[in-house]
Amino acid sequence: MATAKKPAAKKKALKRPAAKKTAAKKTVAKKAVAKEPAAKKIRSKKKVDYTKLLKLIESEIHQAEIMKVFAFKTAAQFKNHYLSALMKAGKAPEIKTSRASAKTAPAKVASVSKRGSVVISKGLIEEMGFAEGTTFTVRKTKSGISLKRMS
């Protein structure tokens, strides 16, 4: 009987280190994922079923419960999606923003001559109301250059 117990004890001893190795591998894998730069994480707008959201709000369910259903992390996120749902359903007017709704004029082309002068077309000069001899200040900006007429 003593011989039968010893091999069983050896098997258990062999199984324990193997379990520790797999746990160590999992820890290493978690650390590798944690070291991934934040810049690589891509966030996109959460896709929400707006009709379901409106039904839950209209049935007067508490905000905290609705946030759990849709996995909203903040009240601001909840309110943003609620407003989007109202606009999509036609219950609230669309909010016009300067970026989405503003139609910019087509770009006008200017060129640099052989002598280094900036050449602006006659049509653009007339459209802007400039005359011969008009002076400008020129500044370098983040988006390019700024040309401002001097008074």
Side-chain angles (χ1 to χ4, degrees):
M1 290 185 142
T3 56
K5 289 182 181 178
K6 287 182 182 178
K10 286 183 181 179
K11 287 182 181 177
K12 287 182 182 176
L14 292 174
K15 288 182 181 177
R16 287 180 188 158
K20 287 182 182 178
K21 286 181 183 177
T22 56
K25 286 180 183 177
K26 288 179 183 176
T27 307
V28 170
K30 286 180 184 177
K31 287 180 181 177
V33 172
K35 289 181 181 179
E36 193 173 311
K40 288 188 177 180
K41 293 179 183 178
I42 300 171
R43 293 184 181 181
S44 60
K45 189 171 181 181
K46 182 179 283 211
K47 294 182 181 178
V48 175
D49 182 6
Y50 290 141
T51 54
K52 182 179 178 182
L53 177 63
L54 288 174
K55 285 179 184 177
L56 290 174
I57 293 170
E58 288 169 356
S59 63
E60 298 181 4
I61 295 176
H62 194 269
Q63 176 181 335
E65 293 175 24
I66 297 172
M67 287 176 66
K68 286 179 186 176
V69 170
F70 289 98
F72 295 142
K73 294 180 182 177
T74 63
Q77 188 180 23
F78 166 75
K79 290 175 183 177
N80 185 23
H81 284 288
Y82 178 49
L83 179 61
S84 296
L86 289 173
M87 288 189 296
K88 187 174 181 181
K91 295 181 180 181
E94 289 286 330
I95 298 173
K96 295 180 182 178
T97 61
S98 60
R99 291 181 182 232
S101 63
K103 294 184 179 178
T104 58
K108 307 293 181 175
V109 180
S111 61
V112 178
S113 71
K114 291 179 185 178
R115 297 187 308 174
S117 301
V118 176
V119 181
I120 301 173
S121 68
K122 185 176 181 179
L124 184 57
I125 296 289
E126 291 173 354
E127 183 181 319
M128 298 289 188
F130 303 145
E132 187 178 341
T134 306
T135 56
F136 300 91
T137 57
V138 181
R139 289 193 180 131
K140 184 178 177 183
T141 64
K142 290 179 182 178
S143 60
I145 63 167
S146 169
L147 208 76
K148 188 175 181 180
R149 181 179 8 192
M150 296 177 63
S151 23

